[in-house]
Amino acid sequence: MEEETEAKPIRNKEKSKQKFLYAVEKILHTKGFSGLKVNDIARTAGLDKKLIYNYFGGKDGLIDEYIRSQDFWSNVKDESGGAVIKDGGKKFSKDMLLSQFDYVFKNKNIQKILLWGLLDNRRSLKKLANDREENGARLFEGITDPHFEKNAKRYRAIIALLISGIYYLDIYATTNDCTFCGLDLKSADGRSEIENAISFLIDKTYE
């Protein structure tokens, strides 16, 4: 019984945190970023605003956690378990880029966050960018830098172009009804062509 009593507050805390995160998402959809005020978030969540400070240290901490939960690259982990990667990270690179292409297209929240990051100089967004860079640096240093050695920076530059291109194409596809370079980025055929191009470019990079 004692263990169950101790576990209940933990479950309640996690449930409340999820309510706050969902409230942030709901407000973003209805009012945009300007609507993210403590009282409105608490009202939407149906919880006491004091809990925002208890659980997240304040509104900025809550927004930080929400943004981080949505960002693709901040949540990518090297799950090789220390195993030797024999292809220099080629499969990993393809898998991550193709997953990103699909994820950003389907996730309107991350699209808004990406656009927000271009338009607003908020501390939360700077922190997201720094966290993303730190996570990326660990992946580069642990997986691809050893393979490319003196050409490691060039590989990083190629990946930068591919990632930024994916961001733009996905946002373009969900905000425009016209094609891009004659490709319908909303259709399975059009998206398949982009996916094939990503795989082709990674193959050529590793050659």
Side-chain angles (χ1 to χ4, degrees), residues 159-177:
I159 293 299
L161 289 170
L162 288 173
I163 289 174
S164 58
I166 286 169
Y167 285 152
Y168 182 81
L169 290 177
D170 276 336
I171 293 172
Y172 184 93
T174 56
T175 54
N176 291 276
D177 290 327

Side-chain angles (χ1 to χ4, degrees), residues 54-77:
N54 291 344
Y55 295 159
F56 305 97
K59 184 183 75 172
D60 283 345
L62 169 58
I63 294 173
D64 283 350
E65 186 158 334
Y66 173 76
I67 289 174
R68 191 166 49 249
S69 73
Q70 297 295 311
D71 185 60
F72 180 83
W73 289 104
S74 295
N75 293 291
V76 171
K77 301 288 186 295

Side-chain angles (χ1 to χ4, degrees), residues 21-49:
L21 292 169
Y22 176 73
V24 169
E25 183 172 300
K26 187 173 182 180
I27 290 170
L28 281 177
H29 279 295
T30 56
K31 299 181 180 179
F33 297 106
S34 61
L36 291 174
K37 296 178 172 57
V38 170
N39 288 336
D40 289 342
I41 295 170
R43 191 182 306 112
T44 303
L47 297 167
D48 191 328
K49 68 180 181 182

